[in-house]
Amino acid sequence: MSRERARRVTLAPAEETIEKIKKVVEEGNFYGAQQMYKSLGSRYASADRYLEALDIFHSGACLQLANGQVRLVSLCNAEETKRKTMGCCMDYGGQWRLEKTVAAEKVEVFLMNYIYISHLQVTCGTELAVLFVENLVKGKIAYDDDTLDRIRQIYKKFPRISVPQNLDLADDADMQQLTEALGAAKTRTEGCSSFLRAAIKWSTEFGGQRNGSSEIHDMLADYLYTESPELDMSKVTYHFVRGKNPKKFGLTLVNFMGKCYPGEDDLAVARAVLMYLAQGNLRDAIILMDEIKKQVQQSEGVNFPQSDLMQFTNFLLETLQRDALPLFNMLRDRFRQSISREHLFNELLDEIAEKFYGVRRRNSMPGGMFGEIFKMMAGE
């Protein structure tokens, strides 16, 4: 349909369209509802009625994601029912054992159907969430608090389901359950990430901060840390340092320190501090370090890393609070070996020297590779 023809088509108010599709969802026809959300939302957009198109995509994303979340919670309860049923099979013999085995099989079939439907709704919700952002761009909608709230509403509908614990990995059923749970977590994380990365890009182009909305960066950092089955602290850090909540980041790092491998804790803290400083943000770097030390004192089983790298990081924060370029250079030389533990640290320190002391970058990575590294961290 051409744009001119689309403009001539009479479209009902968006509220009526939304209620009509909602009934289709309530009937359980999730795929049919998805096609209606996409086609009808696109018609409003083609008629330059972007605000109503946004209402449709926003409503659809929230509803599909919310239903997916409810089903995933029910899925966890059903998994527990299955385990209890199978447990009873082992407690009794004879006919009772056979009946319970049949019951367990029925639960398993139910679970397979539930997994499919919940995945479908999360995927559908993600698609509509991305369409919501795409139409913010097409409609040239300016970044403001109201639109940010709508993005936050969609974000909060993305499921947060823990990966099953205390499974017997020698058991085929438990192993299959873990594999499915990890696959579902990856799907959810990739979906939420694609939506929020698109929202960050929109906010950059239409009135947000230079690096994109700090609030959306915080959302993405939190979801990546809590939900990703393949945790990458570099990506988490990239978004937190572009956010506005260094205390929340401090809590996250302390949580990470309590479960990471030996030698990863001081690298994570140093990386966070240096990435703040490379943006010229000394205030949040100091807040972050103070919060980490405070939370460690209040936490059991977590100690502040005692390493040369941490010593360097503390000295660096003190040095940058004064005009002390010679001391800055002396620290880099003295702690050269610790700094070399991560290849990015020297590049970050060159950036810090330029930001705080006006020193032009030496041995700069060719072809803008420094920026490319940050793009990789962002998942772009």
Side-chain angles (χ1 to χ4, degrees):
M1 181 185 294
S2 69
R3 175 174 287 272
E4 290 302 320
R5 184 182 174 188
R7 286 175 176 169
R8 291 195 298 269
V9 173
T10 300
L11 295 171
E15 294 81 1
E16 293 181 15
T17 301
I18 290 169
E19 286 302 314
K20 178 181 177 182
I21 306 175
K22 185 177 179 181
K23 291 178 181 178
V24 177
V25 174
E26 291 170 348
E27 292 169 358
N29 186 2
F30 310 115
Y31 180 79
Q34 183 73 2
Q35 300 312 306
M36 292 177 70
Y37 278 124
K38 291 166 59 179
S39 62
L40 292 172
S42 296
R43 289 184 189 177
Y44 284 88
S46 296
D48 289 336
R49 293 167 65 173
Y50 284 103
L51 295 180
E52 289 170 287
L54 290 170
D55 288 343
I56 292 171
F57 291 131
H58 176 268
S59 173
C62 289
L63 189 58
Q64 294 279 45
L65 287 169
N67 283 333
Q69 173 140 281
V70 169
R71 288 182 178 276
L72 284 167
V73 172
S74 299
L75 175 62
C76 292
N77 295 334
E79 285 283 7
E80 183 62 22
T81 300
K82 175 186 172 185
R83 292 175 67 82
K84 289 178 179 178
T85 303
M86 295 179 73
C88 290
C89 295
M90 299 175 68
D91 291 341
Y92 300 92
Q95 185 64 30
W96 179 247
R97 180 186 181 94
L98 177 61
E99 289 176 358
K100 284 299 180 181
T101 302
V102 171
E105 288 177 351
K106 289 180 178 179
V107 174
E108 190 163 348
V109 171
F110 168 78
L111 288 172
M112 291 177 66
N113 290 333
Y114 234 59
I115 288 170
Y116 170 74
I117 294 172
S118 62
H119 277 313
L120 174 65
Q121 288 187 288
V122 171
T123 302
C124 288
T126 298
E127 185 179 21
L128 295 173
V130 172
L131 283 171
F132 176 82
V133 178
E134 287 180 357
N135 279 270
L136 288 176
V137 176
K138 291 178 182 177
K140 295 181 172 58
I141 307 299
Y143 176 85
D144 59 21
D145 289 341
D146 289 341
T147 308
L148 176 61
D149 283 342
R150 302 186 83 182
I151 289 170
R152 186 181 291 108
Q153 289 164 10
I154 295 174
Y155 162 71
K156 288 182 176 180
K157 298 296 183 182
F158 273 90
R160 290 176 179 265
I161 307 296
S162 300
V163 174
Q165 303 295 318
N166 303 318
L167 298 178
D168 180 4
L169 299 184
D171 181 80
D172 289 344
D174 279 4
M175 192 63 191
Q176 180 180 356
Q177 181 186 345
L178 178 61
T179 301
E180 289 171 348
L182 291 174
K186 185 175 182 180
T187 298
R188 296 194 300 271
T189 305
E190 289 176 347
C192 188
S193 296
S194 63
F195 160 59
L196 291 177
R197 285 200 305 268
I200 289 169
K201 184 176 180 182
W202 158 77
S203 70
T204 303
E205 295 175 359
F206 291 92
Q209 299 97 318
R210 181 173 60 89
N211 290 323
S213 167
S214 55
E215 290 87 351
I216 303 177
H217 276 295
D218 280 331
M219 294 178 209
L220 182 50
D222 182 63
Y223 201 87
L224 287 173
Y225 182 75
T226 59
E227 301 302 312
S228 177
E230 301 170 349
L231 181 60
D232 185 339
M233 282 305 294
S234 294
K235 289 183 179 179
V236 173
T237 300
Y238 174 91
H239 292 290
F240 262 128
V241 300
R242 283 158 178 74
K244 58 189 301 184
N245 199 340
K247 290 189 175 183
K248 174 87 177 279
F249 188 19
L251 280 168
T252 301
L253 283 170
V254 171
N255 179 273
F256 175 74
M257 289 159 60
K259 60 186 180 182
C260 67
Y261 290 111
E264 288 186 335
D265 49 1
D266 63 340
L267 282 174
V269 174
R271 185 187 305 117
V273 170
L274 292 179
M275 288 179 70
Y276 269 126
L277 295 175
Q279 295 188 107
N281 190 349
L282 177 61
R283 184 200 66 177
D284 283 354
I286 293 172
I287 292 174
L288 174 74
M289 186 64 89
D290 288 345
E291 185 66 21
I292 292 172
K293 293 176 180 177
K294 172 186 170 184
Q295 293 299 327
V296 165
Q297 290 177 350
Q298 299 174 358
S299 302
E300 295 184 6
V302 180
N303 297 313
F304 190 83
Q306 301 297 318
S307 68
D308 287 346
L309 184 59
M310 282 297 89
Q311 193 175 15
F312 165 75
T313 305
N314 280 312
F315 284 151
L316 179 63
L317 288 173
E318 294 176 7
T319 300
L320 293 176
Q321 296 178 62
R322 66 186 80 170
D323 186 11
L325 178 58
L327 181 56
F328 174 85
N329 291 330
M330 184 186 75
L331 286 173
R332 290 191 68 172
D333 184 63
R334 178 180 173 184
F335 291 94
R336 183 185 302 110
Q337 186 172 353
S338 297
I339 293 168
S340 67
R341 286 175 55 194
E342 183 158 305
H343 70 280
L344 181 62
F345 286 173
N346 270 307
E347 283 293 320
L348 289 170
L349 287 166
D350 282 347
E351 190 75 10
I352 291 166
E354 184 171 3
K355 284 283 194 306
F356 286 87
Y357 299 118
V359 178
R360 298 192 62 179
R361 289 171 56 78
R362 60 182 181 182
N363 302 323
S364 181
M365 299 177 76
M369 286 182 64
F370 186 67
E372 293 302 316
I373 290 176
F374 278 94
K375 285 184 180 180
M376 291 172 61
M377 287 184 179
E380 296 180 0

